[in-house]
Amino acid sequence: MMKKVFLILIIFCFGIADAQKNDFFIFKESEVYSLFNFMETAAKKQGTSSNYMQYIDSKLSGDKDFQKLANEFKSLDFNEGIVRQDYPKGRNYRKSYLTLLIVQSLKSKDLSDFNERITGLLPVNEQVKMLNVLKNAQPYFRKYVWNDNELKIKKQITELKKYKDLSSQMFVKFNKFYKSSWEQEIPFYVTLYPIPGKSGSTVSTPHGNALCIGTLTDANDIEGTLSVTMHEMCHILYQEQSREVQLEQEKYFNENPSQYSKLAYSYFNEAVATALGNGYAWKILQKGLLDKGEWYNNPTINLFAKAIYPMTEKYLDENKSIDKNFIDEAIKKFSETFPDSIYEYNQNFNTVNIFTDDIDGNYIFDQFFEYFDANNVGVSSPMKNISQSPKLLADTSSFIIILDKEQKEYLEELKTVFPEIKNVNYDKSTQNISFLDAKGRMIVLLFINKKEDLKAAMEKLSKHQKIDKNKLVQY
C-alpha cells in the first residue's frame, strides 16, 4: 500500500489563481457506495482490501444467509464495458460497467435513487439481482460497519475540506505535466468509505471523476488520505489525456529499440503517479525532505518510481510536460533497475491475456491473483481456431494459454503461430512451456488435466519466478 504523504497548507507557487475553485474537489461520504464496496469485499472481488475482507469474515463467515448474498454478488460480472477502438491499444481506453455503477452509486441518496440512476446500464435481470442483494445486505452493513463509523468518516471529511485549495493547486501542476484534457468544470468526487480499525491495508480506486478512498475509521490519518487522493487523481489525468497525446506517447514507447520498452510502458502509469504523489509532493510538503521509506507496496512500482523521480522533479520544477526524452529515459531507467525482468513471470504478467477453452473467467482470476500482481488481465475463450485469434496475433501483451483438453492438438496448432516451438514434441508429463516470441512477448503454455489443477499450476509458476532462457520446456 502506498506510503502516506503529509499534506500541510503551505504556499505553492503554481501561478494560476483560478485553481482555487471551492467546488472542484468535493469530499463526501456515501452509504450507497460504501454498501456496494462492502459487498465487493465480502465477495472477495479483485481490488478490495484484504484487511477489510478479514474483518467481514470475522463477523459473518458463519452466517449462511449472508454468505449466500456474497456468492450471488460474486456471480455478477461488471468488468465488461465500452472500449474505444480508436485509442492506442497499449492504453486500453475503456469504461467498465463497474465504473459507471460506482460513479452513480456515490451520487445516490439511497438504493431507490441508485436504482433509478442505473436503469439502462445493465440487463434488467442483473440490475434486479444486484439491487435485491444490496437491499438484503444493507442491515448487515449497517450493523457491522456504517452505524458505528458514519460519524468518524464525516469527521475526517470535515478535516479534508480544509485542503481544497491545496488539492486544486496540485491538480494544476500535475495536469500540465501529463498534458491531460481534464478541465476544472468537471469536479472530482472524493468519496471516503469506511474500513473498521486502526491499522491494516486500505484500497483506493479511480472511476471516472470519482476517487474512491478506503480509510481506516480509527486511524484519523488525514494526511495519508490526502496523499492517496492525489495519487489516484494522477491515474485519471493519465487516462484522460487526449487521443492525440496518447498516440504520441505510445509511439515513443513503440519506437524505442530497447527490449524493455514494453515492460516499462506497462508500469509507466503507476510509477509516474507514485513519483508524483509519494515523491514530489512529499518533498515539497515536508520542506525539502524526500521520503526515505517505501513509496509503494509493489517492489517493481516502488523502485521504478524512485528511479524516475529525479527527472520527474526536474520536469515539474521547469513546468514541462512528458515528452519523448522523458519516456526514453524512463525506459532506460527501467532496464537498469530490472535487468532480468524480460524473463520474469511477475513483471511480464502486469499486462497479460489468458486463453482457456471453457474455464470460468472469475475462477481464473481468483487463482491468478492469489500469486501475481497485475494491472491489466483479460480472459478469452473458447480456444477453437486459436491460431487465427486477432488478439493472439496482434496484441503486445504477454499470454498464458491454458491447455486442459486436446493438449496435443492445440500444441500443434500453436506451432503455426510460434515457430519457436516447432520442434517441441507433445509429452504428457510436460507442465510448462515458456519463451519469448519474435515480438518479444512472453508466451506461457500451461498444461493441466482439469480446472482444479490451475491453482497448483499458478503456484508453481510463481515459485519458478522466471524463464530459463536456455530451454523451452521449463518443467
Side-chain angles (χ1 to χ4, degrees), residues 266-458:
S266 76
Y267 281 101
F268 188 74
N269 180 11
E270 198 67 65
V272 172
T274 303
L276 291 172
N278 308 100
Y280 187 82
W282 180 279
K283 183 176 180 179
I284 289 179
L285 297 168
Q286 294 298 320
K287 298 180 180 179
L289 296 177
L290 195 63
D291 186 0
K292 296 180 180 179
E294 300 296 305
W295 293 359
Y296 201 92
N297 69 329
N298 179 301
T300 303
I301 295 167
N302 177 59
L303 293 174
F304 189 21
K306 289 184 175 183
I308 65 172
Y309 174 75
M311 69 168 175
T312 303
E313 179 183 55
K314 186 174 185 294
Y315 268 63
L316 288 167
D317 288 346
E318 295 177 359
N319 204 31
K320 293 171 62 177
S321 302
I322 295 171
D323 56 18
K324 184 178 186 300
N325 290 334
F326 187 95
I327 289 172
D328 286 343
E329 185 64 18
I331 295 169
K332 180 182 177 183
K333 291 296 184 183
F334 190 93
S335 68
E336 294 171 349
T337 308
F338 310 105
D340 295 330
S341 59
I342 57 174
Y343 300 108
E344 293 177 343
Y345 291 122
N346 196 52
Q347 277 86 343
N348 279 273
F349 293 166
N350 193 44
T351 303
V352 64
N353 278 293
I354 303 174
F355 277 86
T356 176
D357 223 2
D358 59 5
I359 300 177
D360 177 69
N362 285 328
Y363 182 83
I364 291 175
F365 285 144
D366 287 344
Q367 311 314 313
F368 176 85
F369 281 107
E370 185 169 347
Y371 299 102
F372 298 101
D373 295 322
N375 175 57
N376 187 359
V377 181
V379 173
S380 299
S381 66
M383 295 205 305
K384 184 178 181 181
N385 300 322
I386 187 174
S387 61
Q388 300 173 32
S389 165
K391 183 174 291 185
L392 184 65
L393 295 174
D395 207 290
T396 60
S397 73
S398 300
F399 286 88
I400 299 174
I401 302 173
I402 302 171
L403 304 175
D404 64 323
K405 57 179 61 176
E406 300 180 33
Q407 295 176 344
K408 183 176 181 179
E409 291 77 8
Y410 278 127
L411 178 61
E412 291 303 313
E413 183 177 359
L414 288 167
K415 288 180 181 180
T416 66
V417 182
F418 303 113
E420 293 85 358
I421 60 173
K422 65 181 181 181
N423 295 323
V424 176
N425 295 318
Y426 174 71
D427 187 323
K428 289 183 178 180
S429 65
T430 298
Q431 299 178 46
N432 172 6
I433 297 174
S434 296
F435 58 95
L436 301 183
D437 73 355
K439 298 178 181 179
R441 305 177 301 178
M442 178 176 282
I443 311 297
V444 178
L445 311 184
L446 285 183
F447 296 78
I448 62 175
N449 294 319
K450 54 186 183 300
K451 81 169 190 176
E452 289 76 15
D453 296 336
L454 185 59
K455 177 180 174 65
M458 290 294 180

Side-chain angles (χ1 to χ4, degrees), residues 3-14:
K3 299 289 285 185
K4 313 299 187 182
V5 179
F6 179 56
L7 298 181
I8 58 177
L9 190 58
I10 63 174
I11 297 175
F12 263 81
C13 298
F14 292 154

Side-chain angles (χ1 to χ4, degrees), residues 251-263:
K251 178 183 176 183
Y252 297 151
F253 277 103
N254 291 340
E255 290 182 347
N256 189 290
S258 172
Q259 58 186 335
Y260 296 88
S261 61
K262 181 173 73 72
L263 283 177

Side-chain angles (χ1 to χ4, degrees), residues 29-46:
E29 79 283 353
S30 166
E31 182 182 357
V32 176
Y33 170 69
S34 297
L35 169 62
F36 188 92
N37 179 272
F38 173 76
M39 289 311 298
E40 281 189 298
T41 307
K44 298 177 172 57
K45 296 255 189 182
Q46 297 302 322

Side-chain angles (χ1 to χ4, degrees), residues 45-63:
K45 296 255 189 182
Q46 297 302 322
T48 54
S49 165
S50 60
N51 189 64
Y52 196 14
M53 197 179 300
Q54 291 170 7
Y55 172 81
I56 295 172
D57 284 346
S58 73
K59 302 295 184 182
L60 292 165
S61 61
D63 190 310

